[in-house]
Amino acid sequence: MEVSSLPISASHRAKLISAGYISISSLSSISPAHLARDLGISENEATGILKVASQRGGPERTIPSHHSIVDGAQTAWDMLHEEESCRRITTSCADLDDILGGGISCKEVTEIGGVPGIGKTQLGIQLAINVQIPLEYGGLAGKAVYIDTEGSFMVERVQQVAEACIKDMQEYDSFLRKDLPARQVNLQANDFLANIYYFRICSYTEQIAVINYLEKFISEHKDIKVVIVDSITFHFRQDFDDMALRTRLLGGMALKLMKLAKKFTLAVILLNQVTTKYSGGSFQLTLALGDSWSHACTNRIILYWNGNGRYAHIDKSPSIRSASAPYAVTGRGIRNLASNCKRVKLILRARLAHDEHICRSLI
Amino acid sequence: MNPAALLQHPLPTRTTKCTTGCPILDSFLHGGIPCNSITEIVAESGCGKTQISLQLLLSAQLPTSLGGLSASSLYLHSEFPFPFRRLRQLALSNPTLQNPLDNILIHPLHSADHLLDLLSRLDPLLVHPPPQTRFPIKLIVIDSIAALFRSEFDNNPSDLKRRSGLFFKISSKLKAQAMRFGLAVVVTNQVTDSVDSSDGLRIGNSWFLYSSGRRVCAALGLSWANCVNTRLFLSRDEENVKDDDGDIVNTRTRTRRFISVVFAPHLPHSSCEFFIAKEGVLGFDSCNDFHLENREL
């Protein structure tokens, strides 16, 4: 499409053409400041021109805010708003939520690793349940994709965690909404199970195929808000004759998952195993898949034993401070190490206040 | 391969489990040994790993209404000789089963590569079980996995890496077949003495495992621990018992055996006492204290 057909003033049109902007597509990736400099006009006028150009460019082009016309780019202000309004998935452990800044964030890839028996699968199951918590209880009312590579997903355990979640919601109702009309939690454990899309894979080729398939699957099931892979490592720890192939496959997988997280605004959680690395004269525990994989994830949480308690440590995160918090694996799922009713009430009240604050600031 | 076919939706409402033949042990295991995953039994020799394995070969043949799998079993053993007499004794104490020994396939294992080779040739046997067995195979027992790896690997990094690669290959194959055919897989493992060190690696529900008064840990290390879904630990302890018989006080030792959960996706940290009798391995709760003396083998 031609610049000459745009409904702008003749002088602007002439300046555009003499500066070399002949077609509308040449205006598609330029900022107003740059255009203003090129044409020798004010930034407001440049913004006006670009607005007209993008409107003409096609019906599918939308302007996210009056500041950014550039396709796909956002201003930091928009991103801040988005981040604040982006709900987080609670882990059901108040201490863990605290160090995570409220819970597992959507739009990011989080890797969680630890020794066998520390609670990785338990945390995965808890998140697959918690993503389904209805909006009125502070949840995301979403669905989960659970990719099981090891066979640790036991339905009876998921039912147990789901029933405990329902009980928590009923408690929330009876303690915090006493003054409001009684509301029934019309959810059963089986409803929670039905909202988990479970893939069981048995080889690395199946793993790659499913991850490639997820884009299509999630675009057909838009309410999926979390993808959990348990574990990402297992099928890649066999002897690969060609290690370069393994690195390429892992890199491709990581990229795909990051794209998924960004495109559909969902949380991607990768559970990883640990192995020992010989460094500095001693054996140290490190997450499996090597150094190149450690760049693949946005956030990294390490689960470990300290004394008789389980701890989670934020090992890598661009936005959260490095910290540790204790948690427990109970019959009801992941919970606070020293949990008591009063604490739960306080946390829920705090969350409610936080959500109200967010709503108010967006108006 | 169609990725959409890998989706299991809706999920089944319960996992199939194989009874152990004892209601107390079943309740400890929340139903029994689960299918579609690998359950590992770790113990030092003489604690009862083989006893429990033999018992499972028989209880798998029970009908599903009694908690069994209505299935034949495959027993791969790396330790010799195979305890035929004990198996026959166990079979005789279970009169409800018809010709149970016909439904048990036994194969010796010589090395890890032998096991891998066998697993890759196993599919036809799982699809069409041999004619003398009445049921399809739904239980595989490997007794023990440790014996396959203890001799041919040295303690240098490249051998350990090769060994680790084999663990994942074997586990991956077993799990794939367990998934495809709905098998329960039980693997037994040995223990090694745990060196007294402050920076020991904790795997599972307790810092250290104790058996016969010694601190032990499961053999084959961290890599293999990543390959199994459930790990159960059998231990034994000698206890001094004082018998007050009027004027005479006798002290003697009594063997106490415990089974506990080291890690499992569906079981809480718990332990249960058991004893080994003529009829097999039986769980034991404290109210039956006075029966224990007479029953112990």
PDB file of all heavy atoms in Angstrom, chain A residues 13 38 68 74-75 89 130 133 136 146 164 174 178 200-201 206 219 239 253 257 272 293 304 306 318 323 326 340 361:
ATOM      1  N   ARG A  13       3.079  14.369   3.225  1.00  0.00           N
ATOM      2  CA  ARG A  13       3.234  13.319   2.226  1.00  0.00           C
ATOM      3  C   ARG A  13       4.526  13.518   1.449  1.00  0.00           C
ATOM      4  O   ARG A  13       5.295  12.591   1.219  1.00  0.00           O
ATOM      5  CB  ARG A  13       2.035  13.332   1.282  1.00  0.00           C
ATOM      6  CG  ARG A  13       1.803  11.977   0.595  1.00  0.00           C
ATOM      7  CD  ARG A  13       0.575  11.992  -0.274  1.00  0.00           C
ATOM      8  NE  ARG A  13      -0.602  12.358   0.491  1.00  0.00           N
ATOM      9  CZ  ARG A  13      -1.591  13.115   0.029  1.00  0.00           C
ATOM     10  NH1 ARG A  13      -1.552  13.588  -1.196  1.00  0.00           N
ATOM     11  NH2 ARG A  13      -2.630  13.405   0.793  1.00  0.00           N
ATOM     12  N   ASP A  38      13.574  12.255  11.169  1.00  0.00           N
ATOM     13  CA  ASP A  38      13.800  12.075   9.737  1.00  0.00           C
ATOM     14  C   ASP A  38      13.109  13.127   8.886  1.00  0.00           C
ATOM     15  O   ASP A  38      13.645  13.593   7.875  1.00  0.00           O
ATOM     16  CB  ASP A  38      13.279  10.680   9.314  1.00  0.00           C
ATOM     17  CG  ASP A  38      14.405   9.650   9.293  1.00  0.00           C
ATOM     18  OD1 ASP A  38      15.553  10.030   9.555  1.00  0.00           O
ATOM     19  OD2 ASP A  38      14.106   8.475   9.001  1.00  0.00           O
ATOM     20  N   SER A  68       2.373   3.606  21.672  1.00  0.00           N
ATOM     21  CA  SER A  68       3.145   2.674  20.856  1.00  0.00           C
ATOM     22  C   SER A  68       2.364   2.239  19.629  1.00  0.00           C
ATOM     23  O   SER A  68       1.298   1.662  19.727  1.00  0.00           O
ATOM     24  CB  SER A  68       3.545   1.461  21.682  1.00  0.00           C
ATOM     25  OG  SER A  68       2.419   0.680  21.946  1.00  0.00           O
ATOM     26  N   GLN A  74       6.032  -2.791  23.158  1.00  0.00           N
ATOM     27  CA  GLN A  74       5.226  -2.136  24.182  1.00  0.00           C
ATOM     28  C   GLN A  74       6.102  -1.145  24.916  1.00  0.00           C
ATOM     29  O   GLN A  74       7.302  -1.345  25.025  1.00  0.00           O
ATOM     30  CB  GLN A  74       4.787  -3.160  25.222  1.00  0.00           C
ATOM     31  CG  GLN A  74       3.653  -4.049  24.818  1.00  0.00           C
ATOM     32  CD  GLN A  74       3.389  -5.034  25.925  1.00  0.00           C
ATOM     33  OE1 GLN A  74       4.250  -5.802  26.309  1.00  0.00           O
ATOM     34  NE2 GLN A  74       2.198  -4.990  26.458  1.00  0.00           N
ATOM     35  N   THR A  75       5.470  -0.145  25.462  1.00  0.00           N
ATOM     36  CA  THR A  75       6.264   0.741  26.300  1.00  0.00           C
ATOM     37  C   THR A  75       6.431   0.074  27.649  1.00  0.00           C
ATOM     38  O   THR A  75       5.654  -0.800  28.033  1.00  0.00           O
ATOM     39  CB  THR A  75       5.563   2.086  26.509  1.00  0.00           C
ATOM     40  OG1 THR A  75       4.331   1.829  27.196  1.00  0.00           O
ATOM     41  CG2 THR A  75       5.284   2.773  25.189  1.00  0.00           C
ATOM     42  N   ILE A  89      -0.087 -17.548  40.379  1.00  0.00           N
ATOM     43  CA  ILE A  89      -0.675 -18.792  40.865  1.00  0.00           C
ATOM     44  C   ILE A  89      -0.117 -19.063  42.255  1.00  0.00           C
ATOM     45  O   ILE A  89       1.095 -19.184  42.436  1.00  0.00           O
ATOM     46  CB  ILE A  89      -0.316 -19.981  39.944  1.00  0.00           C
ATOM     47  CG1 ILE A  89      -0.594 -19.634  38.491  1.00  0.00           C
ATOM     48  CG2 ILE A  89      -1.110 -21.221  40.355  1.00  0.00           C
ATOM     49  CD1 ILE A  89      -0.189 -20.730  37.534  1.00  0.00           C
ATOM     50  N   ASN A 130      -4.257 -25.371  41.893  1.00  0.00           N
ATOM     51  CA  ASN A 130      -4.465 -23.976  42.288  1.00  0.00           C
ATOM     52  C   ASN A 130      -4.772 -23.047  41.136  1.00  0.00           C
ATOM     53  O   ASN A 130      -5.396 -22.003  41.322  1.00  0.00           O
ATOM     54  CB  ASN A 130      -3.243 -23.454  43.054  1.00  0.00           C
ATOM     55  CG  ASN A 130      -3.173 -24.028  44.451  1.00  0.00           C
ATOM     56  OD1 ASN A 130      -4.079 -24.751  44.859  1.00  0.00           O
ATOM     57  ND2 ASN A 130      -2.127 -23.713  45.168  1.00  0.00           N
ATOM     58  N   ILE A 133      -8.506 -22.422  40.856  1.00  0.00           N
ATOM     59  CA  ILE A 133      -9.282 -21.730  41.887  1.00  0.00           C
ATOM     60  C   ILE A 133     -10.073 -20.607  41.233  1.00  0.00           C
ATOM     61  O   ILE A 133      -9.526 -19.833  40.451  1.00  0.00           O
ATOM     62  CB  ILE A 133      -8.348 -21.167  42.974  1.00  0.00           C
ATOM     63  CG1 ILE A 133      -7.658 -22.316  43.723  1.00  0.00           C
ATOM     64  CG2 ILE A 133      -9.099 -20.300  43.965  1.00  0.00           C
ATOM     65  CD1 ILE A 133      -6.668 -21.848  44.757  1.00  0.00           C
ATOM     66  N   GLU A 136     -13.257 -15.495  42.284  1.00  0.00           N
ATOM     67  CA  GLU A 136     -13.732 -14.869  43.521  1.00  0.00           C
ATOM     68  C   GLU A 136     -12.944 -15.300  44.750  1.00  0.00           C
ATOM     69  O   GLU A 136     -13.057 -14.706  45.804  1.00  0.00           O
ATOM     70  CB  GLU A 136     -15.240 -15.116  43.732  1.00  0.00           C
ATOM     71  CG  GLU A 136     -15.666 -16.558  43.652  1.00  0.00           C
ATOM     72  CD  GLU A 136     -16.146 -16.948  42.266  1.00  0.00           C
ATOM     73  OE1 GLU A 136     -15.703 -16.313  41.291  1.00  0.00           O
ATOM     74  OE2 GLU A 136     -16.946 -17.886  42.167  1.00  0.00           O
ATOM     75  N   TYR A 146      -0.591 -30.906  31.990  1.00  0.00           N
ATOM     76  CA  TYR A 146       0.421 -31.602  32.780  1.00  0.00           C
ATOM     77  C   TYR A 146       1.085 -32.640  31.885  1.00  0.00           C
ATOM     78  O   TYR A 146       0.446 -33.587  31.449  1.00  0.00           O
ATOM     79  CB  TYR A 146      -0.237 -32.278  33.989  1.00  0.00           C
ATOM     80  CG  TYR A 146       0.735 -32.683  35.071  1.00  0.00           C
ATOM     81  CD1 TYR A 146       0.892 -31.900  36.201  1.00  0.00           C
ATOM     82  CD2 TYR A 146       1.499 -33.843  34.978  1.00  0.00           C
ATOM     83  CE1 TYR A 146       1.775 -32.257  37.216  1.00  0.00           C
ATOM     84  CE2 TYR A 146       2.385 -34.199  35.965  1.00  0.00           C
ATOM     85  CZ  TYR A 146       2.516 -33.408  37.089  1.00  0.00           C
ATOM     86  OH  TYR A 146       3.398 -33.758  38.095  1.00  0.00           O
ATOM     87  N   ALA A 164      -8.739 -31.023  49.431  1.00  0.00           N
ATOM     88  CA  ALA A 164      -8.235 -30.093  50.440  1.00  0.00           C
ATOM     89  C   ALA A 164      -8.394 -28.656  49.974  1.00  0.00           C
ATOM     90  O   ALA A 164      -8.695 -27.756  50.759  1.00  0.00           O
ATOM     91  CB  ALA A 164      -6.767 -30.392  50.724  1.00  0.00           C
ATOM     92  N   SER A 174     -16.352 -19.199  55.111  1.00  0.00           N
ATOM     93  CA  SER A 174     -16.972 -19.103  56.426  1.00  0.00           C
ATOM     94  C   SER A 174     -16.235 -18.130  57.330  1.00  0.00           C
ATOM     95  O   SER A 174     -16.830 -17.529  58.200  1.00  0.00           O
ATOM     96  CB  SER A 174     -17.052 -20.477  57.081  1.00  0.00           C
ATOM     97  OG  SER A 174     -15.764 -20.944  57.361  1.00  0.00           O
ATOM     98  N   LYS A 178     -18.217 -13.706  56.350  1.00  0.00           N
ATOM     99  CA  LYS A 178     -19.320 -13.966  57.277  1.00  0.00           C
ATOM    100  C   LYS A 178     -20.477 -13.013  57.020  1.00  0.00           C
ATOM    101  O   LYS A 178     -21.633 -13.378  57.108  1.00  0.00           O
ATOM    102  CB  LYS A 178     -18.837 -13.767  58.718  1.00  0.00           C
ATOM    103  CG  LYS A 178     -18.101 -14.974  59.291  1.00  0.00           C
ATOM    104  CD  LYS A 178     -18.037 -14.882  60.791  1.00  0.00           C
ATOM    105  CE  LYS A 178     -16.970 -13.910  61.250  1.00  0.00           C
ATOM    106  NZ  LYS A 178     -15.704 -14.596  61.534  1.00  0.00           N
ATOM    107  N   ARG A 200       0.939 -38.213  28.732  1.00  0.00           N
ATOM    108  CA  ARG A 200       1.952 -39.123  29.271  1.00  0.00           C
ATOM    109  C   ARG A 200       2.883 -39.479  28.136  1.00  0.00           C
ATOM    110  O   ARG A 200       2.460 -40.041  27.130  1.00  0.00           O
ATOM    111  CB  ARG A 200       1.273 -40.378  29.832  1.00  0.00           C
ATOM    112  CG  ARG A 200       2.229 -41.439  30.285  1.00  0.00           C
ATOM    113  CD  ARG A 200       2.777 -41.117  31.674  1.00  0.00           C
ATOM    114  NE  ARG A 200       3.469 -42.277  32.216  1.00  0.00           N
ATOM    115  CZ  ARG A 200       4.777 -42.494  32.131  1.00  0.00           C
ATOM    116  NH1 ARG A 200       5.534 -41.614  31.538  1.00  0.00           N
ATOM    117  NH2 ARG A 200       5.309 -43.576  32.632  1.00  0.00           N
ATOM    118  N   ILE A 201       4.161 -39.120  28.295  1.00  0.00           N
ATOM    119  CA  ILE A 201       5.077 -39.381  27.191  1.00  0.00           C
ATOM    120  C   ILE A 201       6.200 -40.307  27.638  1.00  0.00           C
ATOM    121  O   ILE A 201       6.578 -40.338  28.810  1.00  0.00           O
ATOM    122  CB  ILE A 201       5.660 -38.074  26.649  1.00  0.00           C
ATOM    123  CG1 ILE A 201       6.458 -37.372  27.735  1.00  0.00           C
ATOM    124  CG2 ILE A 201       4.589 -37.135  26.177  1.00  0.00           C
ATOM    125  CD1 ILE A 201       7.500 -36.523  27.131  1.00  0.00           C
ATOM    126  N   GLU A 206       8.645 -38.134  21.728  1.00  0.00           N
ATOM    127  CA  GLU A 206       7.268 -37.797  22.098  1.00  0.00           C
ATOM    128  C   GLU A 206       7.232 -36.467  22.842  1.00  0.00           C
ATOM    129  O   GLU A 206       6.315 -35.667  22.665  1.00  0.00           O
ATOM    130  CB  GLU A 206       6.669 -38.907  22.977  1.00  0.00           C
ATOM    131  CG  GLU A 206       6.344 -40.176  22.204  1.00  0.00           C
ATOM    132  CD  GLU A 206       5.651 -41.237  23.054  1.00  0.00           C
ATOM    133  OE1 GLU A 206       5.392 -40.981  24.251  1.00  0.00           O
ATOM    134  OE2 GLU A 206       5.368 -42.312  22.515  1.00  0.00           O
ATOM    135  N   SER A 219      -4.166 -22.876  21.673  1.00  0.00           N
ATOM    136  CA  SER A 219      -5.011 -21.909  20.977  1.00  0.00           C
ATOM    137  C   SER A 219      -6.429 -22.433  20.822  1.00  0.00           C
ATOM    138  O   SER A 219      -7.361 -21.668  20.622  1.00  0.00           O
ATOM    139  CB  SER A 219      -4.414 -21.519  19.634  1.00  0.00           C
ATOM    140  OG  SER A 219      -4.053 -22.659  18.909  1.00  0.00           O
ATOM    141  N   ASP A 239      22.230 -41.924  27.300  1.00  0.00           N
ATOM    142  CA  ASP A 239      23.419 -41.613  26.504  1.00  0.00           C
ATOM    143  C   ASP A 239      23.034 -41.170  25.108  1.00  0.00           C
ATOM    144  O   ASP A 239      22.517 -41.948  24.331  1.00  0.00           O
ATOM    145  CB  ASP A 239      24.316 -42.850  26.401  1.00  0.00           C
ATOM    146  CG  ASP A 239      25.311 -42.874  27.549  1.00  0.00           C
ATOM    147  OD1 ASP A 239      25.690 -41.786  28.021  1.00  0.00           O
ATOM    148  OD2 ASP A 239      25.701 -43.979  27.962  1.00  0.00           O
ATOM    149  N   MET A 253      13.502 -26.677  22.432  1.00  0.00           N
ATOM    150  CA  MET A 253      12.389 -26.887  23.356  1.00  0.00           C
ATOM    151  C   MET A 253      12.224 -25.678  24.267  1.00  0.00           C
ATOM    152  O   MET A 253      11.111 -25.204  24.487  1.00  0.00           O
ATOM    153  CB  MET A 253      12.709 -28.126  24.201  1.00  0.00           C
ATOM    154  CG  MET A 253      11.525 -28.946  24.552  1.00  0.00           C
ATOM    155  SD  MET A 253      11.970 -30.554  25.215  1.00  0.00           S
ATOM    156  CE  MET A 253      13.086 -30.170  26.502  1.00  0.00           C
ATOM    157  N   LEU A 257       8.969 -23.156  24.564  1.00  0.00           N
ATOM    158  CA  LEU A 257       8.233 -22.967  25.812  1.00  0.00           C
ATOM    159  C   LEU A 257       8.179 -21.489  26.198  1.00  0.00           C
ATOM    160  O   LEU A 257       7.154 -21.005  26.679  1.00  0.00           O
ATOM    161  CB  LEU A 257       8.883 -23.796  26.923  1.00  0.00           C
ATOM    162  CG  LEU A 257       8.696 -25.303  26.767  1.00  0.00           C
ATOM    163  CD1 LEU A 257       9.629 -26.066  27.686  1.00  0.00           C
ATOM    164  CD2 LEU A 257       7.262 -25.698  27.048  1.00  0.00           C
ATOM    165  N   ASN A 272      12.854 -30.300  37.302  1.00  0.00           N
ATOM    166  CA  ASN A 272      14.145 -30.833  36.884  1.00  0.00           C
ATOM    167  C   ASN A 272      14.745 -31.698  37.980  1.00  0.00           C
ATOM    168  O   ASN A 272      14.413 -31.557  39.155  1.00  0.00           O
ATOM    169  CB  ASN A 272      15.083 -29.653  36.565  1.00  0.00           C
ATOM    170  CG  ASN A 272      16.241 -30.066  35.687  1.00  0.00           C
ATOM    171  OD1 ASN A 272      16.422 -31.241  35.411  1.00  0.00           O
ATOM    172  ND2 ASN A 272      17.025 -29.098  35.240  1.00  0.00           N
ATOM    173  N   TRP A 293      21.617 -25.298  29.499  1.00  0.00           N
ATOM    174  CA  TRP A 293      20.190 -25.306  29.814  1.00  0.00           C
ATOM    175  C   TRP A 293      19.847 -24.248  30.862  1.00  0.00           C
ATOM    176  O   TRP A 293      18.729 -23.749  30.900  1.00  0.00           O
ATOM    177  CB  TRP A 293      19.785 -26.691  30.324  1.00  0.00           C
ATOM    178  CG  TRP A 293      18.375 -26.744  30.794  1.00  0.00           C
ATOM    179  CD1 TRP A 293      17.941 -26.785  32.072  1.00  0.00           C
ATOM    180  CD2 TRP A 293      17.207 -26.726  29.967  1.00  0.00           C
ATOM    181  NE1 TRP A 293      16.563 -26.809  32.118  1.00  0.00           N
ATOM    182  CE2 TRP A 293      16.098 -26.780  30.843  1.00  0.00           C
ATOM    183  CE3 TRP A 293      16.984 -26.684  28.594  1.00  0.00           C
ATOM    184  CZ2 TRP A 293      14.783 -26.782  30.381  1.00  0.00           C
ATOM    185  CZ3 TRP A 293      15.671 -26.692  28.132  1.00  0.00           C
ATOM    186  CH2 TRP A 293      14.593 -26.734  29.019  1.00  0.00           C
ATOM    187  N   TYR A 304      15.394 -28.006  48.598  1.00  0.00           N
ATOM    188  CA  TYR A 304      16.446 -28.757  49.287  1.00  0.00           C
ATOM    189  C   TYR A 304      16.041 -29.037  50.729  1.00  0.00           C
ATOM    190  O   TYR A 304      15.089 -28.440  51.250  1.00  0.00           O
ATOM    191  CB  TYR A 304      17.765 -27.968  49.242  1.00  0.00           C
ATOM    192  CG  TYR A 304      17.723 -26.638  49.964  1.00  0.00           C
ATOM    193  CD1 TYR A 304      18.236 -26.505  51.249  1.00  0.00           C
ATOM    194  CD2 TYR A 304      17.162 -25.513  49.363  1.00  0.00           C
ATOM    195  CE1 TYR A 304      18.190 -25.288  51.915  1.00  0.00           C
ATOM    196  CE2 TYR A 304      17.111 -24.298  50.025  1.00  0.00           C
ATOM    197  CZ  TYR A 304      17.625 -24.182  51.298  1.00  0.00           C
ATOM    198  OH  TYR A 304      17.582 -22.983  51.963  1.00  0.00           O
ATOM    199  N   ASN A 306      16.920 -28.919  54.710  1.00  0.00           N
ATOM    200  CA  ASN A 306      17.740 -28.212  55.687  1.00  0.00           C
ATOM    201  C   ASN A 306      17.268 -28.675  57.050  1.00  0.00           C
ATOM    202  O   ASN A 306      16.156 -28.363  57.462  1.00  0.00           O
ATOM    203  CB  ASN A 306      17.566 -26.706  55.523  1.00  0.00           C
ATOM    204  CG  ASN A 306      18.568 -25.928  56.367  1.00  0.00           C
ATOM    205  OD1 ASN A 306      19.287 -26.523  57.176  1.00  0.00           O
ATOM    206  ND2 ASN A 306      18.626 -24.634  56.170  1.00  0.00           N
ATOM    207  N   PRO A 318      14.923 -12.547  37.380  1.00  0.00           N
ATOM    208  CA  PRO A 318      15.221 -11.174  37.002  1.00  0.00           C
ATOM    209  C   PRO A 318      14.524 -10.150  37.888  1.00  0.00           C
ATOM    210  O   PRO A 318      14.946  -9.005  37.958  1.00  0.00           O
ATOM    211  CB  PRO A 318      14.700 -11.086  35.562  1.00  0.00           C
ATOM    212  CG  PRO A 318      13.676 -12.144  35.463  1.00  0.00           C
ATOM    213  CD  PRO A 318      14.063 -13.220  36.399  1.00  0.00           C
ATOM    214  N   ALA A 323      15.963 -15.539  47.903  1.00  0.00           N
ATOM    215  CA  ALA A 323      15.533 -15.799  49.284  1.00  0.00           C
ATOM    216  C   ALA A 323      15.166 -17.262  49.425  1.00  0.00           C
ATOM    217  O   ALA A 323      14.974 -17.969  48.430  1.00  0.00           O
ATOM    218  CB  ALA A 323      14.329 -14.923  49.627  1.00  0.00           C
ATOM    219  N   PRO A 326      10.670 -21.975  53.976  1.00  0.00           N
ATOM    220  CA  PRO A 326      10.335 -23.365  54.270  1.00  0.00           C
ATOM    221  C   PRO A 326       8.937 -23.701  53.777  1.00  0.00           C
ATOM    222  O   PRO A 326       8.077 -22.829  53.673  1.00  0.00           O
ATOM    223  CB  PRO A 326      10.382 -23.412  55.798  1.00  0.00           C
ATOM    224  CG  PRO A 326      10.025 -22.028  56.222  1.00  0.00           C
ATOM    225  CD  PRO A 326      10.460 -21.099  55.135  1.00  0.00           C
ATOM    226  N   ASN A 340      -1.179 -22.582  60.719  1.00  0.00           N
ATOM    227  CA  ASN A 340      -2.308 -22.578  61.626  1.00  0.00           C
ATOM    228  C   ASN A 340      -3.404 -21.721  61.003  1.00  0.00           C
ATOM    229  O   ASN A 340      -3.164 -20.901  60.137  1.00  0.00           O
ATOM    230  CB  ASN A 340      -1.910 -22.054  63.008  1.00  0.00           C
ATOM    231  CG  ASN A 340      -1.253 -20.697  62.918  1.00  0.00           C
ATOM    232  OD1 ASN A 340      -1.806 -19.765  62.360  1.00  0.00           O
ATOM    233  ND2 ASN A 340      -0.054 -20.584  63.426  1.00  0.00           N
ATOM    234  N   SER A 361      -6.305   0.823  41.110  1.00  0.00           N
ATOM    235  CA  SER A 361      -5.269   1.591  40.415  1.00  0.00           C
ATOM    236  C   SER A 361      -5.443   1.547  38.910  1.00  0.00           C
ATOM    237  O   SER A 361      -4.898   2.364  38.194  1.00  0.00           O
ATOM    238  CB  SER A 361      -3.884   1.074  40.803  1.00  0.00           C
ATOM    239  OG  SER A 361      -3.716  -0.219  40.269  1.00  0.00           O
TER     240      SER A 361
END
